[in-house]
Amino acid sequence: MKLIITGHSRGLGAAIAETLLARGIAVLGLARRGNASLAERYPQLLREVTIDLSDVAALQDWLAGDQLPGFLAGCSSLCLVNNAGTVQPVAPIGSAQNAAIARALNLNVGTPLILANAVIAASPKVPEARILHISSGAARGPYPGWSVYCASKAALDQHARAVALDEVAGVRIASVAPGVIDTDMQAEIRATSLASFPARDKFEALQRNGQLADARECAGRLVAYLLDDRFGSEPVADLRDYLCAETARRS
């Protein structure tokens, strides 16, 4: 098995990459910055590509090269984790910068869809490919100020539903909301003005009450879900529902 993951330099992406590297699985990480800690500890397993994933033209230039086919050579199964994303711009409609909206849609939607297409096209002889979109509860419940973020995450959910209907042999896909995780994005949310994000108090309370999930623990659960035989049986899922079902099954 081999893993391709976006946004592996920090937060949840770094934790997912580390979890799989620790299992001896080769990882290709795509991000604006490298992960020096992982590179030092797993020099034989980790390959890194420094790229701005909000720049779709740069992504397409990279895909036109030979690094992706080279990484996939000899692969018996692969996983693509579309983790990189941004919550910005946070603003009511009419107040956001158009360029910020375009960057967010490129990073949150354009890049995941392009990578999913490119990875499957580049691996026709790989018996099984799993695609995991890191979605959000915001895809299913709207928040004021988050129109761009909510729409972009909802797009990933709908993409997973449609790809599942394609019934391409060997391809499994799921867009999964992982819960609220203690990452830099949460700090960014708490630093947003109430005028831009009226629901800020809710996220401040989650942090204050210790209700943010640890990134490493969440990564372990996501990896367990990704590798589970039932992965893809539901194209849109919530990790917390999966955990509840696992607990009930084992009791």
Side-chain angles (χ1 to χ4, degrees), residues 22-196:
R23 295 186 179 203
I25 294 172
V27 171
L28 174 63
L30 287 73
R32 285 182 299 172
R33 293 178 293 275
N35 190 318
S37 175
L38 292 182
E40 181 179 0
R41 283 182 287 154
Y42 302 100
Q44 303 302 316
L45 291 174
L46 177 64
R47 297 190 198 180
E48 299 183 280
V49 175
T50 303
I51 185 170
D52 180 357
L53 293 169
S54 69
D55 185 342
V56 172
L59 175 63
Q60 292 185 90
D61 285 345
W62 178 76
L63 289 170
D66 58 5
Q67 289 190 59
L68 180 60
F71 177 75
L72 295 175
C75 182
S76 59
S77 64
L78 68 92
C79 298
L80 167 65
V81 178
N82 283 312
N83 163 76
T86 181
V87 72
Q88 299 295 338
V90 180
I93 191 168
S95 300
Q97 296 294 316
N98 293 334
I101 294 173
R103 283 195 299 272
L105 293 177
N106 284 347
L107 178 59
N108 292 2
V109 184
T111 286
L113 269 60
I114 290 170
L115 275 175
N117 186 70
V119 166
I120 298 306
S123 55
K125 296 182 180 179
V126 175
E128 183 181 69
R130 301 188 178 199
I131 301 167
L132 170 60
H133 294 325
I134 301 298
S135 184
S136 168
R140 302 145 207 183
Y143 287 87
W146 274 9
S147 58
V148 176
Y149 183 67
C150 291
S152 65
K153 291 301 184 179
L156 294 183
D157 286 2
Q158 197 71 340
H159 178 258
R161 291 185 179 103
V163 169
L165 293 176
D166 287 339
E167 297 183 338
V168 175
V171 175
R172 300 189 188 191
I173 188 168
S175 187
V176 180
V180 188
I181 310 165
D182 192 7
T183 62
D184 290 346
M185 182 179 284
Q186 283 298 311
E188 187 179 351
I189 290 167
R190 295 192 298 272
T192 306
S193 70
L194 280 171
S196 296

